[in-house]
């Protein structure tokens, strides 16, 4: 402070806002003239102060196409200068893009072709007596002197700002030192600018050059400026002040007298003014899909696809990988790499059929040092599908061929990792556009648009659902586990194509010694949800292909004696359970509980596998193949004369026969090929022990009467068990996530993951109650309010329940998918507490309450904003 008279202003960095206020107070009371207090920031002063919140890199702000947010930042920038008493905005326009590792984030002129934007800023600054300085003049003007380069646009840009009242121009030191250009005449006569000319000097020699060139103001990046003052005094003593020098002094003094030099806020709490809102939004809006070679993104086929993640950076991208695993499996190679490391390359033969995802985190590629890596990636992309995800300097992208799909994110954070994973699989959009010209191929405004094909995983409040209310689901589940209504469960909720709740609770069983926590990837016996997730989907597909008509009789498609009543049943009646057929399959003659099989083969049953007894229904329990013929003989003799509503497993067994007749494939093969594999369902299958590890499968009943064991991996439903685990009424195993994918596909109108499975008209036909007041075709419906849904569910809601304690409900009105899976029949199937205490319905209602509360909160905020504006006005 003792050297205050040696300088006319400060641009301070690294101090807290309170320290800045203290320094200002001291300087303002000791000087004879007002001081310049400047900022070199182009948008928000936050980088100057140690106690300010983080600010998005300018290049990121430039990449997002959101003028509303840019306007909000501009308004905050003006308020910051007002509150802090900053009277020199020394970076009206930022420097052109600099790809160097140190400068790329903040050196970009993001409105270079919009003089109106900066003219408006100048007018705002002038209205509050603040000086504005332009920073765009430099080497390009030197080029124009010796060539035919047309700089009319630069001249026009500057004249526009001059007309708006531009105060100062920062002249590049290279231009100041150029003998072929006379500085003052150039700016005064050619550009029509008569304000203050400034330049940055780093030595006394440079200052002497600037003096000779006629510069008015010097910006010195040195802690001790005594040497500059001495040099300046000597230069002035050597000659009398000429008219130009007097003019410079006059201009600077007039500027100081005009500007607000001693007004600033004395507020104790400056945090609100130095807090940046909407950073997550900027991170999302600025992400760019630079190149999408042959429409690689979003990935469509994901089931058992060989995804390889090659990750380079200081630490693994755990958040990104966590989301990626929700969509598909992948194998990862992580290479701990700093900015100066040589990047590892591998033998391409290791990834012969792989889809390769390469991530660069904070890496600055050097063409010399990293030539082998660059060639490696380009070679891979010539024969394989390669997606490059670049967190950091966009200039990295210039090194790769057009065959490399390129996703650009300007910084790594939890938000951008999450975003990158979702964009790869179609859960998010890349909304940004390239803000700079990188090379002839990667030019400004470059972007690629992709469709939203899958859901995204978000926090509930991000989509307007009250998260506190939604988390009350945990209390309901905890009560159910405490009452032993079920030992554990999974709950999944998707709203508006966003997964807002996906949790697992409790344990597989009540066994204290072997308590195994339920995981989200664990697999439940979903019982009658099979009717919609397998049989009904198949019937919808065959209907679209014209393989049957709803009013067709069953015997038109299945070989049944025309004298049998069951053959005369219409397919429509089977789907809505109005066939009049009895509820349960005729299995009494097969399930003979007293049959002993320890020492001999029974009539249908054996305790060891045998060519004549190939159907395994539990550990050491096998049934004879001939039993199936006997079962069919009993089914076709069932009565079907009373056309009334009877919810019947037989209906779905008969539809299974039709499906297998029409497709020529077993039901499990057909649904896997046409639905589960294409949807990417990795946790859904019949006969789960053939596909999954036993510790992932949640057991059901302790079956003491028939199979004499805990059913762990074997289907509980007796019909499905006797059919080898594959039935139209039950037998499917899955987790909440996979079932919700099916629900979302239906809610989407028949599309998911970039594929179409059904026409919207087919879904409307099968899910609406057109043929029964409480049933769709295969689906249960809440049309008459009788479905076991939450009280707040709309009457358009459709889905199904499962005997083991499961449910899926889809509400088109709220664009909602809800899945609940449990094993309430463990250890005994007569446990009805889940039903008695309505746990599935109460959770369903909690979801609706959270939606409503979130909606009320948004409405309340909107009203408050209106009232605030009215009060202000």
């Amino acid at each position: 402070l003792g050297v205050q008279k040696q300088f006319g202003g400060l641009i301070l960095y690294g101090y807290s806002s309170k320290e800045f206020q203290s320094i200002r107070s001291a300087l303002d009371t000791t000087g004879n003239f007002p001081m310049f207090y400047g900022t070199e920031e182009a948008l928000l002063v936050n980088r100057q102060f140690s106690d300010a919140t983080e600010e998005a890199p300018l290049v990121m702000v430039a990449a997002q196409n959101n003028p509303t947010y840019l306007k909000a930042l501009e308004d905050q920038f003006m308020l910051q200068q007002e509150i802090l008493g900053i009277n020199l905005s020394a970076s009206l326009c930022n420097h052109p893009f600099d790809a160097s590792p140190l400068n790329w984030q903040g050196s970009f002129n993001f409105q270079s072709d919009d003089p109106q934007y900066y003219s408006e800023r100048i007018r705002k600054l002038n209205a509050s007596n603040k000086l504005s300085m332009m920073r765009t003049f430099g080497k390009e003007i030197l080029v124009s002197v010796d060539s035919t380069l047309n700089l009319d646009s630069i001249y026009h840009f500057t004249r526009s700002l001059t007309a708006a009242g531009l105060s100062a121009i920062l002249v590049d030191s290279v231009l100041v030192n150029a003998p072929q250009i006379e500085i003052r005449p150039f700016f005064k006569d050619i550009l029509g600018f008569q304000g203050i000319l400034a330049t940055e000097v780093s030595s006394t020699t440079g200052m002497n050059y600037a003096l000779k060139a006629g510069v008015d103001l010097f910006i010195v990046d040195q802690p001790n400026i005594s040497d500059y003052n001495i040099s300046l005094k000597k230069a002035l003593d050597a000659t009398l002040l000429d008219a130009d020098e007097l003019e410079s002094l006059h201009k600077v003094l007039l500027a100081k007298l005009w500007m607000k030099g001693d007004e600033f806020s004395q507020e104790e709490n400056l945090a609100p003014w130095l807090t940046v809102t909407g950073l997550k939004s900027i991170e999302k809006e600025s992400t760019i899909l630079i190149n999408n070679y042959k429409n690689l993104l979003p990935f469509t086929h994901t089931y058992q696809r060989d995804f390889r993640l090659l990750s380079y950076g200081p630490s693994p991208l755990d958040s990104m990988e966590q989301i990626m695993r929700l969509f598909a499996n992948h194998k990862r190679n992580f290479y701990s790499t700093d900015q100066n490391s040589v990047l590892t390359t591998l033998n391409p033969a290791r990834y012969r059929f792989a889809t390769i995802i390469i991530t660069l985190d904070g890496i600055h590629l050097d063409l010399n040092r990293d030539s082998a890596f660059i060639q490696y990636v380009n070679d891979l992309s010539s024969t394989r599908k390669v997606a490059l995800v670049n967190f950091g300097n966009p200039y990295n992208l210039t090194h790769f061929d057009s065959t490399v799909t390129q996703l650009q994110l300007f910084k790594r954070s939890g938000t951008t990792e999450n975003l990158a994973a979702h964009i790869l699989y179609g859960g998010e959009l890349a909304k940004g556009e390239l803000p700079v010209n990188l090379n002839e191929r990667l030019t400004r405004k470059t972007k690629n648009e992709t469709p939203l094909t899958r859901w995204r995983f978000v926090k509930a409040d991000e989509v307007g659902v009250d998260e506190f209310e939604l988390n009350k689901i945990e209390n309901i589940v905890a009560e159910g586990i405490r009452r032993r209504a079920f030992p554990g469960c999974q709950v999944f909720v998707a709203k508006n194509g966003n997964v807002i709740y996906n949790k697992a609770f409790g344990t597989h069983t009540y066994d204290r010694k072997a308590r195994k926590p339920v995981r989200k990837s664990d697999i439940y016996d979903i019982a009658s949800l099979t009717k919609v997730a397998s049989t009904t989907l198949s019937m919808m597909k065959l209907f679209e292909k014209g393989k049957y008509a709803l009013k067709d009789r069953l015997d038109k498609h299945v070989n049944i004696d025309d004298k049998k009543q069951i053959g005369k049943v219409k397919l429509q009646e089977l789907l809505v359970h109005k066939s009049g057929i009895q509820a349960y399959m005729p299995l009494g003659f097969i399930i003979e509980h007293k049959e002993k099989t320890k020492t001999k083969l029974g009539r249908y049953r054996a305790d060891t596998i045998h060519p004549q007894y190939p159907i395994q229904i539990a550990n050491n329990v096998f049934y004879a193949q001939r039993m199936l013929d006997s079962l069919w003989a009993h089914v076709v003799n069932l009565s079907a004369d009373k056309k009334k509503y009877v919810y019947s497993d037989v209906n779905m067994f008969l539809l299974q026969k039709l499906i297998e007749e029409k497709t020529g494939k077993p039901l499990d093969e057909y649904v896997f090929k046409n639905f589960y594999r294409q949807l990417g369902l990795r946790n859904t299958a019949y006969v789960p022990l053939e596909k999954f590890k036993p510790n992932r499968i949640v057991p059901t009943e302790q079956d003491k009467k028939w199979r004499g064991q805990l059913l762990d991996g074997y289907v509980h439903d007796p019909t499905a068990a006797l059919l080898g685990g594959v039935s139209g009424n039950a037998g499917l195993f899955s987790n909440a996530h996979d079932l919700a994918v099916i629900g979302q596909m239906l809610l989407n109108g028949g599309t998911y993951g970039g594929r179409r499975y059904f026409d919207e008209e087919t879904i409307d036909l099968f899910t609406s109650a057109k043929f029964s007041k409480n049933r769709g075709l295969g689906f249960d419906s809440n049309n008459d309010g009788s479905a076991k849904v939450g009280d707040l569910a709309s009457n358009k809601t459709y889905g199904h329940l499962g005997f083991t304690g499961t449910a899926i409900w889809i509400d088109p009105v709220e664009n909602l998918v809800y899945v609940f899976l449990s094993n309430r029949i463990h250890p005994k199937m007569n446990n009805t507490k889940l039903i008695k205490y309505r746990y599935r319905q109460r959770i369903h209602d909690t979801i609706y309450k959270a939606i409503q509360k979130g909606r009320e909160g948004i409405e309340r905020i909107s009203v408050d904003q209106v009232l605030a504006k009215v009060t202000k006005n």
Side-chain angles (χ1 to χ4, degrees):
L1 297 180
V3 296
Q4 188 272 340
K5 294 183 180 180
Q6 296 184 15
F7 58 90
L10 287 173
I11 299 176
L12 293 177
Y13 276 84
Y15 293 88
S16 70
S17 56
K18 300 304 293 182
E19 289 171 329
F20 175 75
Q21 286 181 320
S22 177
I23 292 171
R24 277 215 53 175
S25 296
L27 290 176
D28 288 345
T29 57
T30 59
N32 298 322
F33 296 98
M35 293 280 288
F36 290 124
Y37 294 101
T39 178
E40 290 187 300
E41 298 303 318
L43 196 62
L44 300 187
V45 302
N46 289 45
R47 288 188 182 88
Q48 285 186 239
F49 300 103
S50 60
D51 56 344
T53 60
E54 178 187 15
E55 180 187 349
L58 285 179
V59 69
M60 182 184 293
V61 177
Q64 58 91 34
N65 187 20
N66 186 348
T68 301
Y69 184 75
L70 188 62
K71 174 66 166 54
L73 291 181
E74 175 73 14
D75 292 343
Q76 184 176 354
F77 185 39
M78 292 297 170
L79 284 171
Q80 286 180 332
Q81 293 179 80
E82 189 73 29
I83 293 294
L84 292 163
I86 291 173
N87 48 40
L88 173 61
S89 190
S91 187
L92 183 70
C93 301
N94 215 29
H95 286 310
F97 179 68
D98 182 348
S100 64
L102 294 177
N103 298 325
W104 72 270
Q105 294 193 53
S107 64
F108 176 59
N109 174 12
F110 58 91
Q111 293 285 345
S112 61
D113 59 353
D114 187 4
Q116 183 178 352
Y117 173 86
Y118 291 111
S119 296
E120 180 62 24
R121 180 183 280 190
I122 290 169
R123 284 189 281 270
K124 289 179 182 178
L125 291 168
N126 287 344
S128 56
N129 291 66
K130 291 179 172 57
L131 301 177
S132 52
M133 181 181 289
M134 182 179 181
R135 298 179 64 96
T136 58
F137 280 91
K139 300 176 183 178
E140 66 272 17
I141 294 179
L142 272 180
V143 176
S144 70
V145 175
D146 299 320
S147 71
T148 58
L149 182 66
N150 184 0
L151 290 182
D152 286 347
S153 60
I154 294 178
Y155 298 154
H156 171 73
F157 187 77
T158 307
R159 288 193 186 101
S160 298
L161 302 192
T162 298
L166 179 67
S167 307
I169 292 178
L170 184 71
V171 184
D172 194 289
S173 59
V174 175
L175 186 62
V176 170
N177 297 338
Q180 68 269 47
I181 294 182
E182 296 182 18
I183 294 295
R184 284 188 183 278
F186 177 80
F187 284 95
K188 183 176 180 180
D189 300 334
I190 297 178
L191 298 178
F193 178 74
Q194 301 186 55
I196 295 172
L197 296 179
T199 193
E200 294 175 334
V201 295
S202 57
S203 67
T204 55
T205 302
M207 189 179 69
N208 290 332
Y209 278 122
L211 277 171
K212 293 177 182 178
V215 173
D216 307 313
L217 191 66
F218 311 106
I219 298 177
V220 181
D221 186 16
Q222 296 288 335
N224 186 351
I225 63 169
S226 300
D227 293 342
Y228 291 94
N229 279 332
I230 294 171
S231 180
L232 179 61
K233 188 174 186 302
K234 287 180 180 179
L236 295 176
D237 288 345
T239 60
L240 295 174
L241 293 175
D242 59 22
D244 286 342
E245 288 161 340
L246 285 173
E247 182 184 350
S248 293
L249 179 60
H250 188 234
K251 282 193 291 186
V252 173
L253 290 175
L254 283 176
K256 286 198 166 194
L257 291 172
W258 171 80
M259 70 184 186
K260 290 184 178 181
D262 57 355
E263 296 183 14
F264 69 99
S265 172
Q266 298 291 337
E267 290 189 25
E268 288 294 322
N269 182 21
L270 294 175
W273 311 104
L274 296 174
T275 299
V276 184
T277 59
L279 282 178
K280 288 185 177 181
S281 175
I282 279 293
E283 291 175 347
K284 290 184 176 181
E285 299 282 341
S286 64
T287 299
I288 315 162
L289 183 56
I290 302 289
N291 182 45
N292 193 15
Y293 183 66
K294 292 187 176 180
N295 295 318
L296 176 61
L297 301 183
F299 297 127
T300 51
H301 172 65
T302 61
Y303 188 89
Q304 293 184 342
R305 185 171 178 173
D306 186 11
F307 286 106
R308 302 297 181 106
L309 177 64
L310 309 182
S311 186
Y312 300 84
S315 59
L317 300 171
D318 291 336
S319 296
M320 179 177 172
E321 288 196 65
Q322 184 177 1
I323 297 296
M324 288 174 63
R325 289 193 181 98
L326 295 172
F327 294 109
N329 291 322
H330 69 270
K331 297 177 182 178
R332 183 192 75 176
N333 292 83
F334 168 68
Y335 305 99
S336 181
T337 311
D338 60 32
Q339 293 185 12
N340 299 314
S341 300
V342 176
L343 303 186
T344 303
T345 60
L346 298 176
N347 183 355
R350 296 178 60 180
Y351 311 118
R352 186 176 178 185
F353 300 108
T355 296
I356 302 166
I357 303 165
I358 300 171
T359 64
L360 301 178
D361 174 20
I363 305 297
H364 298 283
L365 293 179
D366 181 271
L367 190 57
N368 295 319
R369 183 194 66 206
D370 300 312
S371 59
F373 173 79
I374 294 168
Q375 188 62 47
Y376 166 69
V377 175
N378 288 332
D379 288 346
L380 280 176
S381 70
S382 65
T383 56
R384 297 162 181 81
K385 296 175 180 178
V386 176
L388 175 74
V389 182
N390 184 54
F391 293 92
N393 193 338
Y395 194 73
N396 286 342
L397 305 178
T398 62
H399 301 299
F400 299 105
D401 294 343
S402 61
T403 51
V404 179
T405 292
Q406 298 169 329
L407 181 63
Q408 170 64 36
L409 303 100
F410 292 96
K411 61 179 291 189
R412 174 189 172 183
S413 68
T415 300
T416 56
E417 285 189 50
N418 184 302
L419 184 63
H422 278 99
I423 290 173
L424 291 175
Y425 292 95
E428 278 278 17
L429 300 177
K431 299 179 180 179
E433 56 186 29
L434 192 61
V436 295
N437 293 315
L438 296 177
N439 58 22
E440 292 181 357
R441 181 171 59 86
L442 305 177
T443 57
R444 191 163 180 254
K445 302 289 186 181
T446 295
K447 65 178 181 178
N448 285 274
E449 296 182 356
T450 55
L452 281 175
T453 60
R454 292 184 176 88
W455 52 32
R456 61 180 183 142
F457 295 79
V458 300
K459 291 185 176 180
D461 54 13
E462 291 184 43
V463 292
V465 177
D466 189 279
E467 195 159 356
F468 179 80
E469 187 71 25
L470 190 65
N471 284 333
K472 291 181 180 178
I473 290 173
E474 296 183 14
N475 300 331
I476 299 171
V477 170
E479 176 193 317
I481 293 173
R482 187 174 63 253
R483 281 179 164 169
R484 296 175 77 95
F486 45 86
C489 67
Q490 295 172 350
V491 182
F492 193 104
V493 183
K495 166 70 172 165
N496 297 338
N498 303 284
V499 177
I500 59 174
Y501 200 89
N502 180 21
K503 293 186 179 181
F505 303 92
T507 54
H508 283 207
T509 68
Y510 298 111
D511 187 343
R512 293 186 177 182
K513 293 181 179 180
R515 280 202 167 183
K516 187 185 302 180
V518 177
R519 298 166 298 182
K520 290 183 287 188
S521 60
D522 286 342
I523 298 163
Y524 279 88
D525 179 340
I526 65 171
S528 285
L529 298 196
T530 304
K531 292 180 172 70
V532 294
S534 175
T535 309
T536 302
L537 293 183
S538 301
M539 291 298 292
M540 292 168 68
K541 179 62 71 176
L542 295 177
F543 178 80
E544 278 195 349
K545 290 182 175 182
K547 298 296 184 180
Y548 70 90
L550 291 174
K551 293 185 178 181
D552 287 349
R553 289 175 19 164
L554 178 62
D555 58 13
K556 181 178 178 179
H557 303 283
V558 178
N559 186 21
I560 300 175
D561 188 330
D562 59 7
K563 296 180 181 179
K564 304 294 184 182
Q565 288 184 1
I566 207 166
K568 297 180 177 61
V569 172
K570 295 179 181 179
L571 302 184
Q572 175 181 304
E573 294 169 341
L574 293 173
L575 284 164
V576 297
H577 294 283
K578 282 190 174 180
S579 65
I581 302 173
Q582 67 183 44
Y584 300 107
M585 291 282 286
L587 304 178
F589 75 99
I590 300 173
I591 303 175
E592 300 174 3
H593 302 310
K594 296 181 180 180
E595 184 176 28
K596 302 298 182 181
T597 63
K598 295 292 184 181
T599 59
K600 62 184 179 72
L601 299 177
R603 183 175 60 163
Y604 290 124
R605 177 170 170 168
D607 58 6
T608 58
I609 193 166
H610 185 276
Q612 296 179 16
Y613 295 80
I615 303 172
Q616 185 171 12
I617 68 167
N619 288 323
N620 301 319
V621 182
F622 300 86
Y623 268 76
Q625 184 70 36
R626 66 179 183 276
M627 171 270 300
L628 297 179
D629 295 332
S630 298
L631 177 59
W632 177 243
H634 279 72
V635 169
V636 296
N637 283 317
L638 291 175
S639 171
D641 57 343
K642 296 180 180 179
K643 303 301 182 186
K644 62 179 182 179
Y645 174 76
V646 177
Y647 176 74
S648 171
D649 287 346
V650 184
N651 292 336
M652 292 296 154
F653 170 75
L654 294 172
L655 291 175
Q656 176 187 0
K657 287 286 188 181
L658 182 149
I659 294 165
E660 293 179 342
E661 180 70 27
K662 291 296 180 182
T663 64
K665 295 181 180 298
L667 178 62
D668 57 336
E669 289 185 21
Y670 181 75
V671 291
F672 172 76
K673 178 181 178 181
N674 288 274
F675 301 108
Y676 308 153
R677 182 173 63 187
Q678 295 184 35
L679 285 165
L681 307 187
R682 293 169 285 154
N683 309 290
T684 303
Y686 285 98
V687 197
L689 289 173
E690 293 181 359
K691 299 175 180 66
F692 307 115
K693 294 181 179 179
N695 63 358
R696 291 186 57 198
I697 305 171
V698 181
T700 53
E701 185 186 11
Q702 182 72 48
D703 184 357
K704 295 181 179 180
K705 291 185 177 180
W706 182 30
R707 285 173 271 192
Q709 60 191 268
L710 176 66
L711 299 180
D712 193 356
Y714 294 95
V715 63
H716 177 266
D717 181 83
T719 299
L722 291 170
L723 293 176
V726 181
S727 180
N729 72 297
L732 201 60
F733 285 69
S734 187
N735 72 342
H737 168 275
D738 279 16
L739 289 172
V741 169
I742 294 174
Q744 189 65 51
M745 178 269 291
L746 295 170
L747 198 55
N748 290 348
T751 66
Y752 187 83
R755 296 173 181 265
R756 176 164 289 282
Y757 298 87
F758 300 109
D759 294 332
E760 288 189 42
E761 294 80 8
T762 303
I763 295 173
D764 290 341
L765 176 66
F766 274 73
T767 60
S768 58
K770 293 181 179 180
F771 306 100
S772 171
K773 65 178 182 179
N774 68 330
R775 302 289 308 189
L777 296 170
F779 293 93
D780 193 0
S781 169
N782 195 42
N783 179 64
D784 64 349
S786 64
K788 300 299 187 292
V789 297
D791 295 335
L792 301 177
S794 79
N795 64 352
K796 298 293 184 182
T797 300
Y798 61 89
H800 219 281
L801 296 179
F803 181 78
T804 51
T806 59
I808 179 171
W809 294 113
I810 302 154
D811 187 348
V813 174
E814 283 294 353
N815 204 1
L816 182 72
V817 178
Y818 160 55
V819 178
F820 176 90
L821 300 184
S822 77
N823 55 337
R824 65 101 187 165
I825 62 172
H826 175 80
K828 298 179 180 180
M829 70 175 184
N830 60 1
N831 177 13
T832 59
K833 293 178 182 178
L834 175 75
I835 302 165
K836 176 181 178 181
Y837 295 108
R838 303 180 71 248
Y839 288 114
R840 289 174 292 195
Q841 294 97 312
R842 288 164 58 191
I843 292 172
H844 204 192
D845 268 335
T846 299
I847 298 166
Y848 283 100
K849 290 175 183 177
I851 293 171
Q852 183 58 36
K853 202 163 187 179
R855 191 173 288 142
E856 290 171 356
I858 293 172
E859 292 171 354
R860 185 169 57 251
I861 291 171
S862 299
V863 170
D864 291 344
Q865 289 173 342
V866 171
L867 290 175
K869 287 182 180 179
V870 171
T871 304
K872 184 177 181 180
N873 294 336

